[in-house]
Amino acid sequence: MAGAIIENMSTKKLVIAGVILLLFQVFSFLVGGLIAPSPTTAVHYVATKCVDVDKHPSDWFMPWGRNKCDKIYDFSEAEAMKVQANDIVFALHIPPPDKEMSPWFQFMLVILQFDIAFNFNNQIEEGAVATIDVRLGYRDDTVSEWTQMAHSIEERKLSCNFTAARTSDNEGQYYDCELLPFMEIGSVAHKYYLLNIRLPVNERKKVNVGIGEIKDIRLVSIHQNGGFTKVWFAMKTFLTPSILIIMVWYWRRITLMARPPVLLEKVIFALSISMTFINIPVEWFSVGFNWTWMLLFGDIRQGIFYTMLLSFWIIFCGEHMMDQMERNRFTVYWKQIGPIAFGSFCLFIFDMYERGVQLTNPFYNIWVTDVGTELAMAFIIVAGICACLYFLFLCFMIFQVFRSSSLLAMSKARPLHYEGLIFRFKFLMLVTLACAAMTVIFFIISQVNEGHWHWGDHTVQVNSAFFTGIYGMWNLYVFAIMFLYAPSHKRYGDDQSNGMLLFPFR
């Protein structure tokens, strides 16, 4: 009976295969670092203060252009014109003049920040909440009428800090207010977008009372760069057939064997299916269709892959435990797989609760209410506890496998061939840990660095390199696992007739 390729392949060939995979890994980082631009672009805006002279809430107010609104530059003008707060509309056109949005931008996230000046007689009350009446419109040319995409009345809790003394001498200085999540859409299918924001005041109902003296509304629009999107799609288009071909080759080798597939072989095949599911470049269709659910779909695909990957590591270690327990059944691992499935389910519910609602209301955010924040934190804490338990148990299993393999390696009766297999297994486990560590390390680097490094005459986009490099790394990891654990055409005799991989002496 043939063993796995990792058992029968010569060390020289394994080294050559490892070098080739390493070169592909370096190439995947270079694609993002040197070819792709930064993953996202942030554009800063200051909303224009328009006056609703005719008091028509259904009208659209343009900050500039042929049909620009009647605007004021300061609220002192509104007082002189006797314009009430309910008649002021903060208008924002995305993108800036002479530019267009594109489906290649994939998504658009908008962050809001209030410029609030300190007024001794109109201070921000503790727990103040701003009520926002917002409309989102779109059009695809500069002459058509605006079409309403969404309308909602939202609340955002203000979190502002005034560092100076609260005296009349410091009036006019600004509070330091935190950024507020405002809007997110999962598809940029139109060329132009228009936001009309009102802050309705109703003293009887305590609406927008005690929120201070708002001077301006600043917004930051964040979208994916079109150049990065094209590089990302190209990688997916290249990797999909690569993983698919070796997956078919791997399973064909399994089915050609006289025995049925063992658990580890089935799990490796399931891992390759989840990787293929991520790779399939359905995003190409989002360029031509207004698929607002692509962000949610992408999260689900990643969740399935990482759930399968974590489960694979548990079963991979368990199947190499050299004890007297028969483990070649999925039910043996339900205590270990259960927390993984439960944690993944919690994150799925959290994602559905936020991104699912955003499909109909792009202004919704789970973090803006106390109940939503508590619910989100509960899901994240539960998932975090499951992750910690998983990590501790995985380390324990790796320690047990290393310990048992070391004890067997000390036996004088052991063939030299099996000692080499133990070394190969340990090396593969260290590569696995290195992949996980690189994911965490590059994520931290991408969060704390300025986004790019200068290397001679070249600019290295670190964030882009993180995305393409880590994505390529996990594809190469799955590729290597399928290749190394595919049945070999070489035969070593009857000692492998039980079909167990790597450690047939169990």
Side-chain angles (χ1 to χ4, degrees):
M1 179 64 68
I5 289 178
I6 191 174
E7 301 177 51
N8 301 329
M9 197 175 189
S10 67
T11 303
K12 179 180 179 181
K13 291 181 179 179
L14 280 176
V15 170
I16 293 174
V19 171
I20 293 174
L21 291 176
L22 182 61
L23 291 176
F24 274 108
Q25 177 62 75
V26 173
F27 177 74
S28 65
F29 276 108
L30 293 179
V31 166
L34 300 179
I35 299 177
S38 175
T40 58
T41 293
V43 183
H44 296 260
Y45 300 89
V46 178
T48 300
K49 295 179 278 292
C50 297
V51 178
D52 186 4
V53 179
D54 299 325
K55 301 182 184 298
H56 289 162
S58 61
D59 290 346
W60 291 100
F61 295 87
M62 269 285 292
W64 44 263
R66 185 177 57 183
N67 298 319
K68 64 181 180 180
C69 65
D70 297 323
K71 54 188 175 182
I72 57 176
Y73 295 95
D74 191 86
F75 283 103
S76 59
E77 297 181 39
E79 295 177 2
M81 298 168 58
K82 297 183 179 179
V83 176
Q84 298 181 356
N86 290 334
D87 297 329
I88 296 177
V89 180
F90 294 87
L92 174 68
H93 186 280
I94 302 175
D98 302 325
K99 295 185 180 296
E100 294 180 357
M101 301 299 283
S102 167
W104 292 102
F105 294 164
Q106 292 293 288
F107 69 88
M108 181 166 61
L109 173 69
V110 178
I111 307 297
L112 178 145
Q113 185 178 37
F114 289 109
D115 282 351
I116 304 177
F118 174 74
N119 187 315
F120 187 77
N121 297 317
N122 185 16
Q123 300 186 37
I124 299 178
E125 298 178 357
E126 185 177 355
V129 175
T131 301
I132 305 170
D133 185 346
V134 56
R135 298 170 68 204
L136 173 65
Y138 69 87
R139 66 183 183 185
D140 292 309
D141 55 61
T142 57
V143 295
S144 300
E145 294 295 324
W146 291 97
T147 301
Q148 181 168 294
M149 183 175 176
H151 177 214
S152 180
I153 297 178
E154 298 290 327
E155 291 185 345
R156 296 293 187 268
K157 189 174 182 179
L158 299 180
S159 180
C160 300
N161 183 34
F162 190 70
T163 56
R166 295 175 181 265
T167 62
S168 56
D169 295 335
N170 292 320
E171 286 191 349
Q173 296 188 32
Y174 285 89
Y175 287 87
D176 181 17
C177 295
E178 291 185 1
L179 299 173
L180 301 173
F182 187 58
M183 182 189 78
E184 185 172 14
I185 56 176
S187 174
V188 188
H190 305 286
K191 295 181 179 179
Y192 308 105
Y193 292 88
L194 180 65
L195 281 168
N196 279 182
I197 302 170
R198 295 173 184 262
L199 301 175
V201 176
N202 189 321
E203 294 185 1
R204 183 174 60 86
K205 295 182 178 181
K206 301 296 182 181
V207 176
N208 284 332
V209 174
I211 61 173
E213 188 176 322
I214 296 178
K215 294 293 187 180
D216 278 305
I217 295 180
R218 299 181 182 274
L219 300 103
V220 181
S221 169
I222 303 172
H223 61 263
Q224 187 165 294
N225 271 329
F228 177 82
T229 302
K230 294 174 182 177
V231 172
W232 188 252
F233 286 8
M235 281 195 68
K236 280 177 165 283
T237 305
F238 170 75
L239 290 172
T240 298
S242 303
I243 296 296
L244 191 60
I245 289 172
I246 194 171
M247 182 177 69
V248 173
W249 171 83
Y250 169 80
W251 193 246
R252 181 177 177 274
R253 284 209 166 197
I254 297 294
T255 55
L256 288 176
M257 301 186 70
R259 60 168 176 80
V262 296
L263 177 61
L264 183 57
E265 292 169 338
K266 294 177 182 178
V267 173
I268 291 175
F269 185 66
L271 179 65
S272 66
I273 291 176
S274 65
M275 189 77 256
T276 304
F277 187 45
I278 282 187
N279 287 341
I280 296 175
V282 294
E283 290 86 353
W284 283 110
F285 293 100
S286 66
V287 178
F289 299 94
N290 186 18
W291 287 357
T292 57
W293 43 267
M294 283 302 298
L295 288 177
L296 177 61
F297 183 61
D299 289 347
I300 292 174
R301 291 199 294 178
Q302 289 188 38
I304 292 174
F305 171 71
Y306 283 115
T307 301
M308 195 62 242
L309 181 66
L310 297 179
S311 302
F312 164 74
W313 285 342
I314 291 291
I315 296 174
F316 180 76
C317 291
E319 288 301 291
H320 291 90
M321 286 280 192
M322 282 166 283
D323 51 22
Q324 301 303 317
M325 183 176 180
E326 178 60 39
R327 297 176 179 272
N328 189 31
R329 299 190 312 274
F330 186 78
T331 53
V332 175
Y333 298 96
W334 72 269
K335 291 182 180 179
Q336 295 82 23
I337 304 299
I340 298 174
F342 183 71
S344 301
F345 180 74
C346 289
L347 292 177
F348 171 73
I349 296 299
F350 166 72
D351 210 40
M352 285 295 296
Y353 192 74
E354 182 170 40
R355 293 204 190 278
V357 176
Q358 287 177 345
L359 296 178
T360 56
N361 179 15
F363 304 103
Y364 175 80
N365 191 282
I366 194 173
W367 298 97
V368 299
T369 63
D370 293 336
V371 175
T373 300
E374 291 176 0
L375 183 63
M377 287 301 299
F379 280 131
I380 292 175
I381 289 173
V382 170
I385 293 174
C386 291
C388 291
L389 292 175
Y390 170 85
F391 178 76
L392 293 175
F393 185 77
L394 181 63
C395 291
F396 172 75
M397 291 189 71
I398 294 175
F399 171 76
Q400 289 289 89
V401 174
F402 276 40
R403 181 173 175 271
S404 59
S405 62
S406 297
L407 291 175
L408 284 173
M410 293 171 62
S411 174
K412 295 181 179 180
R414 287 193 46 77
L416 183 62
H417 173 68
Y418 290 151
E419 294 181 13
L421 297 184
I422 294 173
F423 171 77
R424 293 181 182 187
F425 167 76
K426 290 183 176 181
F427 180 77
L428 187 59
M429 287 306 304
L430 292 176
V431 169
T432 298
L433 294 176
C435 289
M438 285 179 63
T439 302
V440 175
I441 291 171
F442 272 89
F443 175 77
I444 295 173
I445 292 176
S446 67
Q447 297 300 307
V448 301
N449 84 96
E450 60 181 4
H452 59 270
W453 293 340
H454 293 287
W455 183 20
D457 296 332
H458 301 282
T459 299
V460 180
Q461 296 292 340
V462 179
N463 293 343
S464 296
F466 163 73
F467 284 111
T468 60
I470 298 302
Y471 176 59
M473 181 187 70
W474 288 120
N475 271 276
L476 292 172
Y477 179 80
V478 174
F479 184 98
I481 289 293
M482 282 192 289
F483 173 74
L484 294 175
Y485 279 84
S488 173
H489 66 279
K490 296 181 180 179
R491 300 176 182 272
Y492 272 94
D494 295 333
D495 61 340
Q496 290 176 321
S497 60
N498 59 2
M500 300 306 291
L501 298 175
L502 192 58
F503 294 122
F505 42 83
R506 266 182 43 186

